[in-house]
Amino acid sequence: MKNQQKQWDVLVVGGGPAGMMAATRAADLGARVLLVEKNPKLGKKLLITGGGRCNVTNTKLDRQRFSEHFGDSSKFLFSSFSRFDAKDTLSFFHARNMPTKVETEGRVFPKSDQSQSVLDVLKASMRKSGVSTRCATTVEGLCVENERLVGIRVSGSKTPLLAKSIIIATGGTSRPDTGSTGEGFDWLASVGHTIVTPNLSLVPIRIEERWVRDLSGLSLKDISVSVFSDDKKHAEQFGKMIFTHFGVSGPAVLNVSGVAHNMHNDNKKTHIALDLFPNSDASSLDQALRDLFEKNQNKQVKNMLVDFVSPRLVSPLLELSLVNPDTPVHSLPREQRLTLIATMKHLPMSVSGFLGKDKAIVTRGGVPLSEVDCRFMQSRLHKNLYIIGDLLDIERPSGGYSLQLCWTTGWIAGTKAGEIN
Ligand SMILES: Cc1cc2nc3c(=O)[nH]c(=O)nc-3n(C[C@H](O)[C@H](O)[C@H](O)COP(=O)(O)OP(=O)(O)OC[C@H]3O[C@@H](n4cnc5c(N)ncnc54)[C@H](O)[C@@H]3O)c2cc1C
């Protein structure tokens, strides 16, 4: 470079979880690190994660099997998780005085139930490691000289910021109000990377039927949600869900939403179906219902069912099964009882659409892992370029896996970029 500008060892673009982890790690190794964020404050999206409680990671599967959660990407990520996995995440936060607790399905949250605790740890770690931060600074692109990446351009300044290594952590395109507006994809494309078009992945589903929206606020656990089109089942997930004023959401729904979205986009008539008793087959359910009816022969079916399913579900279940709610259970025909059971095992809802990027948890798409050396999260096209967090095209379920990807990819990139000698 002709000018005598300061050259940083590492520039990190994006003050989300991935960027802050990468910056901390690189600075801990002695590198002079500058993190640049366009929002006035760091971690805007992080603060809304997990409903404000931040599901930091997931401990359901051990280190050997952790990468199995990441679909097509699991092979690529095996070595990444063997460097930094959920256990390392917990050690990182516990060592910095943030106790955690484990909830259903291995979901880990800060004991405080506050995302702010996670952000506080990251900010304090960066301060302690000596990371310089520049907020309210929008990065406009990458600077390349003689085919070598040398720095970044920032708004309002004619002179670029220069660095030996550049870590891009600008996130995907979900919830653009938090700052994740997808510019990083354009810069990476401008230096030769392929960008798989971002697509909605974990996103709430709009449902056509009125009765679904009338159940708004009702949450169910231990159910299964399946996606069907052309009478074929394409995906199934167990866990929790919630009815909303537009349709359905919650972890089990989000986890099948990507498949439902693809089907719907192919103009296939798509429906999802709930199994309210995924751990019982139809005949054992029938037996349980008969036992219940036998003890209460003169009661009306609508009053009996409240002992069997959530009271708010009774009316729609009876209506969909064409059973008169006032029928005394002793005179309920067998066929109607079996229809009722079939409905409980397959409660269908027609997909009418999806909430947009503004409400998605993550978007699928971004830089394919084949263009990144996952041992270092280093671009295969530019040795001093690192790509981390939601910028990567990685399929993952809900449950703390997205943030674990941020911790893992951030740590690994920071480790490599921070090796300054
Ligand atoms: C409502 C919601 C709830 C979620 N809950 C969970 C959860 O509980 N657990 C979980 O694992 N995952 C959760 N996620 C997903 C998780 O938040 C993301 O995977 C994660 O934030 C991605 O981190 P990142 O650092 O890659 O990017 P981001 O968090 O998106 O951060 C990118 C940063 O880059 C900055 N930036 C962008 N462009 C520029 C630019 N031009 N110049 C400078 N800075 C720029 C942005 O302002 C932003 O601060 C949730 C997501 C949402 C939307």
Side-chain angles (χ1 to χ4, degrees):
M1 299 293 302
K2 276 178 254 151
N3 57 33
Q4 292 301 303
Q5 265 180 275
K6 175 171 182 173
Q7 188 190 42
W8 295 90
D9 292 321
V10 181
L11 271 174
V12 179
V13 186
M20 288 189 273
M21 176 58 98
T24 300
R25 177 64 179 154
D28 272 344
L29 295 174
R32 285 169 312 122
V33 181
L34 173 66
L35 181 144
V36 184
E37 162 60 49
K38 73 175 166 188
N39 288 331
K41 289 183 177 171
L42 301 168
K44 190 166 176 192
K45 185 181 276 181
L46 183 64
L47 286 177
I48 59 165
T49 57
R53 296 200 305 134
C54 188
N55 179 187
V56 226
T57 186
N58 195 295
T59 53
K60 194 171 161 198
L61 290 187
D62 62 15
R63 176 169 285 204
Q64 288 308 317
R65 299 190 45 212
F66 194 79
S67 59
E68 288 174 18
H69 289 292
F70 296 88
D72 311 344
S73 312
S74 61
K75 231 161 80 197
F76 282 99
L77 291 171
F78 185 81
S79 73
S80 315
F81 289 124
S82 58
R83 271 150 218 254
F84 195 90
D85 70 351
K87 256 193 184 149
D88 298 308
T89 299
L90 294 183
S91 306
F92 178 89
F93 285 103
H94 293 168
R96 290 161 175 80
N97 296 322
M98 191 195 86
T100 54
K101 57 181 175 177
V102 183
E103 297 191 0
T104 48
E105 299 284 306
R107 291 163 185 261
V108 181
F109 293 86
K111 234 184 193 141
S112 65
D113 278 330
Q114 304 282 329
S115 309
Q116 186 67 51
S117 307
V118 180
L119 181 57
D120 287 346
V121 166
L122 293 167
K123 284 184 0 190
S125 304
M126 288 203 296
R127 247 190 332 267
K128 190 163 169 230
S129 316
V131 174
S132 301
T133 50
R134 220 178 269 181
C135 286
T137 305
T138 302
V139 175
E140 292 185 329
L142 304 175
C143 295
V144 178
E145 266 186 17
N146 302 325
E147 296 184 9
R148 196 184 137 70
L149 196 57
V150 293
I152 56 176
R153 285 182 284 111
V154 293
S155 62
S157 170
K158 280 197 183 116
T159 42
L161 292 169
L162 306 176
K164 292 178 192 157
S165 297
I166 298 175
I167 300 177
I168 310 288
T170 44
T173 52
S174 65
R175 291 296 301 256
D177 56 313
T178 62
S180 321
T181 40
E183 297 99 284
F185 293 128
D186 301 335
W187 314 332
L188 292 167
S190 75
V191 295
H193 276 288
T194 312
I195 305 297
V196 176
T197 311
N199 205 347
L200 298 178
S201 170
L202 297 178
V203 65
I205 302 178
R206 289 186 192 280
I207 298 292
E208 220 165 279
E209 288 83 1
R210 179 65 206 247
W211 65 264
V212 173
R213 286 173 274 132
D214 287 345
L215 291 177
S216 178
L218 172 67
S219 60
L220 302 175
K221 58 180 185 176
D222 302 325
I223 47 94
S224 89
V225 184
S226 302
V227 178
F228 291 84
S229 78
D230 302 330
D231 288 333
K232 216 173 122 200
K233 191 198 275 192
H234 296 275
E236 181 169 19
Q237 281 287 326
F238 298 84
K240 289 192 206 166
M241 56 97 43
I242 183 162
F243 292 90
T244 67
H245 63 284
F246 54 81
V248 286
S249 187
V253 169
L254 295 175
N255 284 340
V256 296
S257 61
V259 174
H261 189 253
N262 290 344
M263 299 286 144
H264 189 72
N265 266 11
D266 285 350
N267 284 327
K268 293 194 174 140
K269 194 149 182 48
T270 309
H271 79 268
I272 60 169
L274 301 190
D275 182 345
L276 300 176
F277 297 97
N279 298 319
S280 309
D281 60 18
S283 65
S284 50
L285 271 185
D286 187 33
Q287 188 57 54
L289 204 57
R290 274 161 53 201
D291 290 347
L292 183 72
F293 286 0
E294 218 162 283
K295 285 185 208 138
N296 302 276
Q297 297 215 0
N298 293 321
K299 287 203 174 162
Q300 291 169 318
V301 65
K302 68 179 180 200
N303 295 328
M304 264 348 305
L305 274 189
V306 293
D307 290 344
F308 216 68
V309 294
S310 160
R312 289 183 68 194
L313 275 176
V314 170
S315 234
L317 275 176
L318 289 170
E319 204 166 307
L320 289 165
S321 311
L322 305 177
V323 173
N324 179 346
D326 300 327
T327 317
V329 293
H330 65 75
S331 52
L332 183 72
R334 177 174 180 273
E335 300 74 57
Q336 288 201 0
R337 198 182 66 235
L338 294 182
T339 309
L340 190 54
I341 293 208
T343 313
M344 290 179 194
K345 296 286 293 170
H346 186 103
L347 185 55
M349 305 168 203
S350 320
V351 173
S352 63
F354 298 82
L355 263 60
K357 275 195 280 201
D358 54 330
K359 292 286 185 293
I361 303 297
V362 293
T363 42
R364 175 79 206 267
V367 178
L369 287 184
S370 54
E371 295 183 7
V372 176
D373 180 343
C374 289
R375 291 170 308 160
F376 309 123
M377 302 323 297
Q378 199 169 28
S379 156
R380 290 193 186 280
L381 309 181
H382 302 270
K383 285 276 169 263
N384 62 342
L385 175 65
Y386 299 81
I387 305 165
I388 60 176
D390 273 5
L391 280 172
L392 296 161
D393 180 25
I394 300 175
E395 181 188 341
R396 71 269 195 183
S398 104
Y401 299 103
S402 294
L403 283 174
Q404 183 55 51
L405 269 178
C406 292
W407 314 131
T408 296
T409 56
W411 177 272
I412 292 176
T415 303
K416 184 69 179 165
E419 285 172 2
I420 49 173
N421 296 314

